[in-house]
Amino acid sequence: MHLLSRMSHRIAEDWQRVYAHPVYLLKTFVDGERFRRTCYRAANWMEVGRTTGRGKNDSTNQSNRSLKDVFVYPLERRFRERLQA
């Protein structure tokens, strides 16, 4: 849990330094068949859904990968407003 928190802030700092653009929200995909997801929940990541099991270059519209749980972690309180701007 402590490492997730440190990693979250480190990513935001590094991204700002390299790309000169802030990060407002982190997203990750967790394979529920392999991992229990406990550390993400304990670190206050929000579970927002599940993938369809298709890869990003899918051309068949059929599941060919394992389903993943989608977790997000806001780095700023007003992240919704920032992302919509």
Side-chain angles (χ1 to χ4, degrees):
M1 185 169 66
H2 175 71
L3 289 176
L4 278 175
S5 176
R6 289 186 61 192
M7 175 268 319
S8 301
H9 295 289
R10 178 67 187 260
I11 286 175
E13 292 169 4
D14 289 350
W15 193 274
Q16 178 69 39
R17 181 177 42 81
V18 172
Y19 297 105
H21 190 281
V23 174
Y24 304 120
L25 181 76
L26 298 177
K27 175 175 68 171
T28 190
F29 303 95
V30 181
D31 188 343
E33 294 179 12
R34 296 181 59 204
F35 303 102
R36 295 175 56 198
R37 305 169 303 272
T38 308
C39 62
Y40 287 98
R41 290 184 179 123
N44 295 322
W45 284 65
M46 296 180 284
E47 189 170 0
V48 295
R50 180 171 274 185
T51 65
T52 59
R54 298 179 356 221
K56 65 181 178 180
N57 296 324
D58 175 52
S59 60
T60 64
N61 291 331
Q62 295 183 3
S63 297
N64 58 6
R65 289 171 172 59
S66 62
L67 299 178
K68 307 275 190 319
D69 297 311
V70 181
F71 284 84
V72 296
Y73 185 79
L75 296 175
E76 186 171 314
R77 179 175 286 171
R78 297 171 49 190
F79 71 93
R80 287 182 184 89
E81 295 172 25
R82 301 280 187 183
L83 291 174
Q84 292 174 348

